[in-house]
């Protein structure tokens, strides 16, 4: 009796399976299978879990502390080094008698050179960061947020190492540009801003996003205030070196915290490339085609107008602080656009009082009217975030960070120029000018909110 060779049959079956799609029956046409989806990896967790209910807030706090602490120290060091180089000594001015013209000329030279070198150092970081920050921000949309929280902090640490070498060896101040460029090539503080706000957008819903953004803004204000308080006193007591060692330690601590305790917030694409023109195209795509979700009518126009509002508000609000409790209460009862309008009205009113204040009582009255003046910036960040998809948050907030960096240059330059030019006309004209500027974003935000309400009404009736 014939028995089939089971070994041969099994081998034949395995051959058919191995050939897969190359094996077809006579009456079937060859078909192309769709390409497999790109491989992604699930969000990876950090080595340790943070025991506190925070995520990127400590990264923001530590990074802001490092940046704010070093800024006045650099300016003062430049002043002292340039004074030493040109032979100017302020403590001996009173001993010069009739030759006071010489010291006055030297004083102006030191002041001019210090301002110029401060400008060169700022422009060095800003110009390089203008190219690198959008690259890193868009890359984080596919590669993950954690690398962009770590790399720029390491870049800031490298900058401080260069600064310390310059101070220890008393090298020419031009070497500060080397440290600034190293930090700019790694994304600088603007990349940290972009990654932190994008992380919050990843981990919050649309309803709770505004308050979480405000918490990050509060970290900026509180950390900056703390660094400003201790920086000047410490320099007077111990000089420059020890404060800069603290800046270095703080930058490294921020990078270490992000590595150890911050979980990834998005699904990573292992094939994501950093050096590609696609990342800059993604940023351009946002502003050229408009919002991809929640934009309603005229999405591109809304995106540009909200960005203009952000630019004007931040330019006026350099160094602002937060009032979280009031914001939390108002968001419970008001839509966030009206919260922003109330914030701007509060600011405008306080600035108008400052412009005419001629007594201490009026100055304190102005500060009282400014009780809610910083709520506009987290609202605007949240509104911008809601206009793009989750896969575009990094690209968006990298653009916002670049605009914010530009605000520091434009805001300080404009208002520092307006003050001396109008001092003979009106002492408080600078405050009046700031109040007039803030009327523009207040009108834009209110108009856009009314447009959104009309859009909702039209969609309901249709």
């Amino acid at each position: 009796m014939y028995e089939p060779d089971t070994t041969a049959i099994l081998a034949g079956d395995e051959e058919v399976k191995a050939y897969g799609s190359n094996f077809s029956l006579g009456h079937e046409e060859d078909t192309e299978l769709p390409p497999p989806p790109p491989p992604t990896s699930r969000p990876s967790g950090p080595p340790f879990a943070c025991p506190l209910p925070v995520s990127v807030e400590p990264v923001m706090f530590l990074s802001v502390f490092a940046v704010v602490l070093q800024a006045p120290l650099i300016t003062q060091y430049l002043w002292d080094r340039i004074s030493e180089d040109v032979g100017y000594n302020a403590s001996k001015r009173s001993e010069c008698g009739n030759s006071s013209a010489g010291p006055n000329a030297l004083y102006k030279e030191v002041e001019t050179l210090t301002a110029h070198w401060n400008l060169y150092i700022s422009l060095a970081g800003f110009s390089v960061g203008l190219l690198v920050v959008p690259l890193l921000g868009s890359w984080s949309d596919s590669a993950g947020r954690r690398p962009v929280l770590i790399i720029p902090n390491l870049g800031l640490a490298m900058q401080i190492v260069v600064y310390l070498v310059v101070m220890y060896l008393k090298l020419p101040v031009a070497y500060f540009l080397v440290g600034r460029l190293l930090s700019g090539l790694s994304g600088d503080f603007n990349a940290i801003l972009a990654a932190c706000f994008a992380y919050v957008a990843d981990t919050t819903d649309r309803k709770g996003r505004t308050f979480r953004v405000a918490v990050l803004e509060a970290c900026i204000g509180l950390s900056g205030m703390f660094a400003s308080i201790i920086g000047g006193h410490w320099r007077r007591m111990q000089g420059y070196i020890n404060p800069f060692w603290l800046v270095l330690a703080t930058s490294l601590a921020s990078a270490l915290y992000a590595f150890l305790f911050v979980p990834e917030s998005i699904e990573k694409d292992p094939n994501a490339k950093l050096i590609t023109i696609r990342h800059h195209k993604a940023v351009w795509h946002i502003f050229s085609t408009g919002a991809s979700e929640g934009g309603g009518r005229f999405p591109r126009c809304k995106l540009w107008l909200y960005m203009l509002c952000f630019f004007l508000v931040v330019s006026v609000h350099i160094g602002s602080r937060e009032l979280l409790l009031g914001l939390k209460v108002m968001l419970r009862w008001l839509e966030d656009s009206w919260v922003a309008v109330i914030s701007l009205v509060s600011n405008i009113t306080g600035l108008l009082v400052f412009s005419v204040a001629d007594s201490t009582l009026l100055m304190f009255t102005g500060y009282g009217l400014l009780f809610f003046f910083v709520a506009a910036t987290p609202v605007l960040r949240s509104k911008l975030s809601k206009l793009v998809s989750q896969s575009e948050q990094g690209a968006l907030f990298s653009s916002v960070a670049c605009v914010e960096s530009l605000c520091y240059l434009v805001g300080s330059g404009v208002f520092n120029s307006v003050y001396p030019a109008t001092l003979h006309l009106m002492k408080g004209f600078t405050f009046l000018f700031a109040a007039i500027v803030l009327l523009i974003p207040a009108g834009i935000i209110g108009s856009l909110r009314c447009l959104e309400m009309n859009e909702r009404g039209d969609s309901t009736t249709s």
Side-chain angles (χ1 to χ4, degrees):
M1 184 177 179
Y2 173 74
E3 293 183 1
D5 187 354
T6 56
T7 304
I9 292 176
L10 291 175
D13 288 342
E14 290 299 320
E15 260 188 3
V16 172
K17 293 177 183 178
Y19 279 101
S21 60
N22 293 331
F23 179 84
S24 59
L25 297 177
H27 65 276
E28 293 180 350
E29 297 292 332
D30 292 340
T31 58
E32 294 184 1
L33 296 176
T40 58
S41 61
R42 298 187 63 81
S44 57
F48 304 99
C50 181
L52 301 175
V54 294
S55 53
V56 293
E57 287 83 2
V59 177
M60 179 70 86
F61 187 93
L62 293 171
S63 300
V64 171
F65 182 86
V67 171
V68 175
L69 182 60
Q70 67 171 296
L73 294 175
I74 287 294
T75 301
Q76 189 62 46
Y77 181 81
L78 287 172
W79 176 276
D80 291 345
R81 277 295 307 276
I82 293 171
S83 297
E84 182 181 344
D85 292 343
V86 302
Y88 172 73
N89 190 341
S91 63
K92 296 183 179 180
R93 290 188 63 184
S94 60
E95 303 174 4
C96 295
N98 295 330
S99 62
S100 59
N104 283 336
L106 288 176
Y107 174 84
K108 291 181 180 179
E109 182 182 359
V110 171
E111 186 179 44
T112 301
L113 288 174
T114 301
H116 285 175
W117 277 111
N118 257 326
L119 179 62
Y120 300 152
I121 293 171
S122 298
L123 288 178
F126 174 75
S127 57
V128 176
L130 199 60
L131 296 175
V132 176
V133 173
L135 183 74
L136 289 174
S138 180
W139 178 63
S140 73
D141 288 328
S142 54
R145 311 294 183 203
R146 294 179 74 233
V148 187
L149 294 173
I150 298 171
I151 295 172
N153 273 302
L154 296 178
L156 287 171
M158 288 168 37
Q159 171 186 308
I160 300 304
V161 169
V162 174
Y163 285 7
L164 285 169
V165 171
V166 172
M167 292 176 186
Y168 273 114
L169 302 180
K170 288 197 173 182
L171 299 177
V173 295
Y175 282 96
F176 279 144
L177 294 174
V178 176
R180 198 71 187 88
L181 289 173
L182 287 174
S183 179
L185 288 171
S186 66
D188 204 26
F189 176 65
N190 290 328
I192 301 173
L193 276 179
C196 286
F197 284 111
Y199 190 99
V200 167
D202 295 336
T203 55
T204 56
D205 56 15
R206 296 171 66 88
K207 184 177 180 181
R209 187 168 303 169
T210 301
F211 183 72
R212 282 295 307 278
V213 169
V215 171
L216 273 184
E217 296 263 3
C219 291
I220 297 175
L222 294 174
S223 180
M225 180 175 61
F226 181 55
S228 300
I229 291 173
I230 71 170
H233 295 290
W234 197 0
R235 184 197 65 80
R236 284 191 292 270
M237 290 187 297
Q238 296 186 351
Y240 303 97
I241 300 299
N242 287 343
F244 269 99
W245 278 110
L246 177 61
V247 174
L248 175 61
T250 306
S251 298
L252 293 176
S254 181
L256 185 63
Y257 176 89
F259 176 75
L260 294 179
F261 296 109
V262 178
E264 186 55 75
S265 59
I266 65 171
E267 291 189 356
K268 298 189 296 183
D269 181 2
N271 297 323
K273 296 180 180 179
L274 174 58
I275 308 300
T276 171
I277 195 65
R278 185 177 64 85
H279 298 314
H280 289 99
K281 288 182 177 179
V283 175
W284 173 251
H285 174 78
I286 293 176
F287 292 95
S288 61
T289 62
S292 54
E293 63 174 46
R297 288 182 290 183
F298 316 113
R300 182 171 58 178
C301 182
K302 290 181 181 179
L303 198 65
W304 280 100
L305 287 174
Y306 278 129
M307 189 66 82
L308 172 63
C309 292
F310 182 84
F311 173 79
L312 294 175
V313 170
V314 175
S315 296
V316 175
H317 287 174
I318 298 299
S320 60
R321 296 175 178 85
E322 323 304 313
L323 189 62
L324 286 176
L325 181 59
L327 179 61
K328 183 67 173 178
V329 172
M330 294 189 74
L331 285 173
R332 189 176 184 88
W333 301 103
L334 294 174
E335 204 274 340
D336 51 6
S337 293
W338 299 127
V339 173
V341 171
I342 293 173
S343 167
L344 293 174
V345 170
S346 169
N347 201 349
I348 291 169
T349 308
L351 290 170
L352 289 175
V353 173
F354 284 152
S355 68
V356 297
D358 57 358
S359 65
T360 304
L361 179 61
L362 273 179
M363 289 296 291
F364 278 108
T365 302
Y367 278 113
L369 293 170
L370 286 172
F371 77 103
F372 202 57
F373 75 115
V374 294
T377 47
V379 168
L380 287 171
R381 291 187 201 270
S382 178
K383 298 289 283 187
L384 286 166
S385 173
K386 294 172 184 177
L387 287 173
V388 301
S389 67
Q390 288 298 111
S391 62
E392 297 172 322
Q393 298 294 331
L396 171 70
F397 280 110
S398 63
S399 305
V400 173
C402 290
V403 170
E404 190 167 0
S405 181
L406 180 63
C407 290
Y408 282 86
L409 295 176
V410 174
S412 59
V414 169
F415 286 96
N416 287 334
S417 301
V418 168
Y419 178 74
T422 60
L423 194 59
H424 64 286
L425 297 174
M426 179 182 178
K427 290 184 178 179
F429 181 82
T430 306
F431 297 108
L432 179 62
F433 175 70
I436 295 172
V437 170
L438 289 181
L439 287 174
I440 300 173
I444 292 175
I445 295 172
S447 300
L448 289 177
R449 177 55 188 157
C450 293
L451 178 62
E452 291 170 357
M453 292 174 66
N454 290 335
E455 289 177 355
R456 290 180 184 178
D458 293 343
S459 62
T460 302
T461 56
S462 60

